[in-house]
Amino acid sequence: MVVFDWNGTVVLDADRAWESLNAALREQHVAEVPRSAFTTEFRLPMADMFRRLGVAGSEVAVADATWNRRMTTSETTLRPGAVEAIEALHGDGVWLGVVSAAAAAALAHDRSTLGVPDRWGTVLAPAEDKTTVLRALRHHADVAYYVGDTAYDMRCAAASGYVPVGVGDGYAPDEALWEAGATHVLRDLRDLVTLVRGSGSARERAA
């Protein structure tokens, strides 16, 4: 089985996320995050990040709502190889799912506008505690992969019995993914097909 995060993973939307984050911060009269600092400042869960950036606890839900509204109304692009990987894995009989912190409406918007194949055994969003959700799905196969773009994704994957597969050019630098336990860091999701099929040609970190 292969379960994907969404933002920064299936879609390459770090610019959209940065703009949405700053829109939420402006509404709260909190200092914005420079684009160059986005990958180091972004954290999950979202509530923890907003509090760390200076949003008052009572306003975190408002900031989160602004973020999701902007994410729903802005366009983005698919990661290279996304459609091909989804179709190939589905054709191989791999159980596919999505577990994302994104709002359901934002995820549905992307699936519709970007033409993502509907090959999912489940789509769970928003998932506030990914570890709990991933553990509940773990029974679908003997071997499971979770594919994500943040250190939080990698830690949740490992804690839930999944192989943590990172993807670059998302919301975190590659080094943060490796440090959080990623076994691979990919940029094109077609390499994920190679990995799951067991050929071993996906790039692994040198020892």
Side-chain angles (χ1 to χ4, degrees):
M1 64 184 287
V2 177
V3 181
F4 295 86
D5 172 52
W6 192 262
N7 300 114
T9 299
V10 177
V11 295
L12 276 177
D13 68 338
D15 286 340
R16 176 177 69 170
W18 168 65
E19 292 168 355
S20 298
L21 174 61
N22 280 338
L25 295 177
R26 282 195 301 272
E27 281 192 1
Q28 299 301 319
H29 307 289
V30 172
E32 296 182 27
V33 173
R35 180 64 182 90
S36 59
F38 175 73
T39 57
T40 55
E41 293 292 340
F42 188 85
R43 297 286 190 281
L44 290 174
M46 293 287 291
D48 292 350
M49 178 185 64
F50 279 125
R51 282 190 288 265
R52 188 174 53 80
L53 291 174
V55 176
S58 60
E59 296 299 315
V60 165
V62 175
D64 190 61
T66 299
W67 154 278
N68 283 315
R69 184 172 63 253
R70 289 293 295 262
M71 294 290 281
T72 302
T73 57
S74 301
E75 300 304 320
T76 189
T77 59
L78 286 172
R79 177 175 291 277
V83 170
E84 296 91 336
I86 292 166
E87 293 287 23
L89 291 169
H90 178 263
D92 287 349
V94 177
W95 190 93
L96 301 176
V98 174
V99 172
S100 171
L107 203 151
H109 170 77
D110 286 346
R111 291 174 65 192
S112 174
T113 59
L114 297 174
V116 180
D118 188 11
R119 306 300 191 193
W120 311 110
T122 191
V123 176
L124 298 173
E128 295 185 8
D129 181 349
K130 288 188 178 182
T131 300
T132 298
V133 175
L134 288 171
R135 284 176 176 166
L137 296 173
R138 184 62 186 83
H139 65 280
H140 284 288
D142 291 338
V143 179
Y145 300 81
Y146 186 61
V147 186
D149 67 309
T150 67
Y152 174 77
D153 291 335
M154 300 300 96
R155 290 192 294 268
C156 289
S160 307
Y162 292 66
V163 178
V165 178
V167 286
D169 301 323
Y171 290 14
D174 287 7
E175 192 59 32
L177 300 174
W178 291 123
E179 290 177 357
T183 59
H184 301 74
V185 174
L186 314 175
R187 279 177 166 71
D188 189 312
L189 286 179
R190 283 167 289 210
D191 290 335
L192 178 65
V193 180
T194 302
L195 171 62
V196 173
R197 287 176 175 170
S199 71
S201 67
R203 184 177 69 88
E204 295 192 37
R205 191 178 198 184

